[in-house]
Amino acid sequence: EILVLLERFIRTEQALGPAGSRAELLSRFARSELSAAGALTHLASWSPSGEVVAQLDLAPFPEDAVERLALVNTARRDGTVRVVRASNIPWLQLMVAIPHLGGAVTTIVVAPRSRLLPDDPFGVLLGLAPAVVADPPYSLSLAGAAAPVAGPRERWQRRGTELHGDWEFAGVNGPMRVHASVELRSMESLVPRGALLVLADVVLVALLWAGNVAAGGALRRWLRLRRDVWLGSFRVRLTLGLFAFALLPVLAFAAVAVRRLQSDDLRSRELVVLETLRGAVSSSEDVQLLQLAERLDTPLLLYGDGALLKASEPLHEVLAPTGRFLDQSLLTGLGPDDLIATTREERLGRYRALVGYRSIEASTYATRFLLAAPARTDALELDRRRNDLLILLLFAASAAALAAFWLSGVVARQLASPIEVLRRNALAVAAGERPELPGTPLSEFVPVFRAFGRMTDDLGESRAALEAAQRRTAAVLLNVASGVVAVDEGGVVVLANPRAEAIIGSLLPAGSALEGGIAGSLGREVRSFALTEAPEREFDLPVGARRLHARLTRLPSSRGFVITVDDVTELARAQRVLAWGEMARQVAHEIKNPLTPIRLGVQHLQRARHDPRVDFDEVLTRNVERILAEIDRLDEIARTFSRFGTTPAARPAREGVAVDELLRDVVALEGLGAGDEVQWVVEVAPALPRALARDDEFREVLLNLLENARLADARTVRVEARTMGDRVMVTVADDGDGIAADALPRVFEPHFSTRTSGSGLGLAICRRLVEGWGGAIGLESVPGRGTTVTLTLAAASHTGELPPR
């Protein structure tokens, strides 16, 4: 720093030239460069005759004037810069002499940074920024000793909250003594500082721990898991709300107090500088401005009619730190006798300073005079009191924040405890236990606990009624003749009565799946039914010689199903006996119709044989043709009845039928007979597998269905084939007349027909053939809109039987 300072100073000297003013040089250097060296204590300019032209002392350190003068003469004689250490001074002190053209010399004295070098409280006038005002840990003062010093001695004494010590040593001008004082501070000041220090340590440790945890990602995961819990917690919200409610007034009070402290500090500084100016103006002694400034220990600047006339220091007069002219706002609207006593914050170069102004009563002069003085910057006592109050406020705010957080947590726990009691009792009620409510809850929660008690009683009564209903249901299910199985949406058994286990032939415990045998077929039906929107479905389930009838019902209040299974083997046998009896009557009726024409024809032949008037040959030919037609009709009735009565065991085995080829062949054949009246459309899904059926029977079924569509006056008949899981679905849809709703349940009955012609065995035979393949047939129709017949067949790769629909 010293070398840089010297280099810049020499540049300034060279730029100024030999004819320049030393005072201007010093002012320039002080304003621009002096702030870089905090240890500069002395700066002076010497004339060629060896006299001091200008001098600036910044510290009370004693100097050896004889040694400094010898250094100046040596530098002038040699013409070189000389840097030496003072030999007669016990502390480190460098003296520099810089020669210039014409014999002038500049001297600089640099001392170490020390508390013995106090900051100039008015250094801002020279362009020097004051040091940051802080409470020093100790203070040092230098004074002369009364007696010679035999050696360094150290004595420490405690006086109240201060610790004092003294050192003695030999100085240049005689014995010197350094007095040191250490402010220990009172407990009122130390306790807040210690508490804040501990709090800062805790916060620092918490931040270090959080940073360490966050580095591994654990903190982020922990916060993510806790975020939803905290955001949805009544207790956390209540704690934060109470904490904010308690903390906001404390923060507001702290902000107001800080503003008040700053205002009081400013008013104190204004009061000090105004009192100083009042003392200077009211002084009755006829003294010079310099003497008055020395007595008041403050620089003074005198203005006349707004222009700077004189300053207590020549350097201040040269520098004019507050400007050569005053701001006219200070003088506008005031008469010569009006009193001005005010302070303003003035910009002094890069810094700002508080400056006081006071008018001087001088009625004998036409000129109006104002005296200005800057405020001191070393008011450590005021700063210490302000800092103590700030720390106390910070401590109080921190303590209030912690207390508010703790108390808010306590209050939140107190308010949330009844909710916790209700939660535990709700869980107890859910587990079927009897809740234990507190006898004397908080008054705000009394209605809630009463309502909870009534709810518990209602739930107990409902639970008892439900258990009674369950017992009745269990008794009904135990004795009911039908098998009942309740399953969930995944096909897992929830409930099964003994009759269902007896019909199915396997145990169905709760939690088991419907697998294997009859249960497996029911499970497939459940999965298929779950994909639809129908409320219920009925189907038959042949099992060997037995025949089961099942019904699937969707539960509206849950995602489950109820399966009702009945063994209808005996009922089916009785129905078959009744059906065969009805069929026998129908067949007898059908056979009786051809026999009447045959009998009449034979009788006609007998009469014509003995009547010579009749051409017997013509009568014989006509009656024989009629008899043969009726015999063919009887043969057709016999063959149809034989086909319907054929048992599955008597039929040939199933085989894989190419459904796509068969559909196109049958539709093409049907199209030849239908002419252009019906439009036939065939749609076959790609990669359609073969279906388990019998080729000739499948062809007969398709011909029957297509012929029915043509006879229903259909204009368009659409035949589609697609796959659904392990099944092949064949659909024949037409837009014909349709079937009435009351006739739909009987369309598959033998000898039932919606037309006046026909035997009524077509759809009955189709159903019997399809069921013989292990498939199913279904029919849907809307009068006036058409009929849709669906065949569901097992794929050739699937060997299981499909229940009929």
Side-chain angles (χ1 to χ4, degrees), residues 178-192:
V178 175
H179 179 76
S181 63
V182 180
E183 177 67 35
L184 301 180
R185 312 303 299 274
S186 62
M187 293 300 295
E188 292 79 2
S189 301
L190 295 178
V191 169

Side-chain angles (χ1 to χ4, degrees), residues 43 51 55 88 134 156 185 283 329 376 478 498 562 602 634 681 712 795:
L43 186 64
E51 297 178 355
Q55 181 171 326
N88 295 328
W156 288 100
R185 312 303 299 274
S283 176
S329 61
R376 301 180 64 90
L478 182 63
V562 174
V602 172
L634 287 174
V681 180

Side-chain angles (χ1 to χ4, degrees), residues 160-486:
T161 59
E162 293 183 351
L163 192 64
H164 295 268
D166 293 284
W167 286 265
E168 296 178 353
F169 56 90
V172 178
N173 300 320
M176 302 293 294
R177 181 169 61 89
V178 175
H179 179 76
S181 63
V182 180
E183 177 67 35
L184 301 180
R185 312 303 299 274
S186 62
M187 293 300 295
E188 292 79 2
S189 301
L190 295 178
V191 169
R193 285 175 168 79
L196 291 177
L197 183 61
V198 172
L199 181 60
D201 292 339
V202 172
V203 172
L204 180 61
V205 171
L207 292 177
L208 292 176
W209 174 83
N212 185 28
V213 176
L219 181 62
R220 189 182 302 107
R221 293 191 297 270
W222 184 77
L223 290 176
R224 191 183 304 114
L225 293 175
R226 292 284 181 177
R227 179 184 59 191
D228 295 337
V229 177
W230 288 345
L231 292 178
S233 174
F234 168 76
R235 180 173 165 183
V236 171
R237 292 185 179 183
L238 185 60
T239 300
L240 294 178
L242 294 175
F243 174 67
F245 180 76
L247 183 61
L248 290 178
V250 175
L251 295 179
F253 172 75
V256 172
V258 170
R259 293 290 300 274
R260 184 64 179 271
L261 284 176
Q262 294 175 348
S263 176
D264 291 345
D265 180 58
L266 180 61
R267 291 179 61 185
S268 298
R269 289 158 51 85
E270 290 177 348
L271 181 61
V272 170
V273 69
L274 290 178
E275 286 297 319
T276 301
L277 289 174
R278 189 179 68 83
V281 171
S282 61
S283 176
S284 59
E285 300 178 4
D286 187 11
V287 295
Q288 297 294 327
L289 194 63
L290 175 61
Q291 297 173 350
L292 186 61
E294 290 178 352
R295 189 177 67 182
L296 297 176
D297 193 18
T298 182
L300 297 175
L301 295 94
L302 182 62
Y303 288 87
D305 290 336
L308 180 63
L309 299 180
K310 190 176 182 182
S312 59
E313 295 286 345
L315 188 57
H316 295 164
E317 185 177 345
V318 173
L319 295 178
T322 58
R324 295 289 177 182
F325 300 96
L326 289 178
D327 190 351
Q328 290 300 314
S329 61
L330 289 173
L331 305 174
T332 302
L334 298 176
D337 297 332
D338 294 335
L339 177 64
I340 296 178
T342 184
T343 58
R344 298 184 63 174
E345 192 176 41
E346 302 286 356
R347 177 174 292 277
L348 306 181
R350 293 176 296 172
Y351 313 109
R352 305 186 73 87
L354 183 68
V355 180
Y357 298 92
R358 187 177 180 90
S359 60
I360 300 176
E361 297 179 3
S363 57
T364 57
Y365 298 95
T367 303
R368 180 166 185 186
F369 297 98
L370 268 77
L371 191 64
R376 301 180 64 90
T377 59
D378 62 346
L380 294 181
E381 187 62 32
L382 292 177
D383 295 336
R384 175 178 297 178
R385 185 177 63 180
R386 182 188 59 192
N387 293 336
D388 288 344
L389 289 176
L390 287 176
I391 291 176
L392 182 60
L393 283 175
L394 183 60
F395 170 73
S398 302
L402 294 177
F405 188 76
W406 178 74
L407 290 176
S408 62
V410 172
V411 174
R413 283 194 296 271
Q414 292 293 330
L415 293 178
S417 58
I419 301 176
E420 177 66 18
V421 172
L422 291 177
R423 186 188 70 85
R424 290 197 304 266
N425 284 278
L427 294 177
V429 170
E433 301 175 359
R434 185 68 179 177
E436 297 181 0
L437 298 177
T440 56
L442 297 176
S443 58
E444 291 80 3
F445 287 90
V446 169
V448 179
F449 277 86
R450 288 178 180 174
F452 186 84
R454 289 195 299 270
M455 180 195 70
T456 304
D457 296 337
D458 294 341
L459 286 176
E461 295 175 358
S462 300
R463 188 190 298 270
L466 179 61
E467 291 176 352
Q470 289 177 345
R471 288 193 295 270
R472 289 193 299 271
T473 302
V476 171
L477 292 177
L478 182 63
N479 299 304
V480 73
S482 300
V484 179
V485 181

Side-chain angles (χ1 to χ4, degrees), residues 108-119:
I108 303 173
V109 179
V110 180
R113 300 180 185 274
S114 170
R115 292 286 179 186
L116 290 173
L117 295 175
D119 293 323

Side-chain angles (χ1 to χ4, degrees), residues 564-621:
T564 305
V565 184
D566 293 295
D567 190 347
V568 295
T569 304
E570 297 298 331
L571 179 61
R573 185 178 295 112
Q575 289 178 347
R576 282 196 298 272
V577 170
L578 293 176
W580 281 111
E582 179 65 21
M583 183 174 290
R585 288 190 295 271
Q586 294 288 343
V587 170
H589 178 72
E590 293 292 336
I591 293 175
K592 181 180 178 181
N593 290 335
L595 289 179
T596 300
I598 292 174
R599 182 184 302 108
L600 293 176
V602 172
Q603 291 175 358
H604 188 198
L605 287 176
Q606 288 178 349
R607 288 193 303 271
R609 176 69 179 80
H610 300 286
D611 190 352
R613 296 173 297 177
V614 178
D615 187 357
F616 181 76
D617 292 337
E618 181 182 356
V619 173
L620 178 63
T621 300

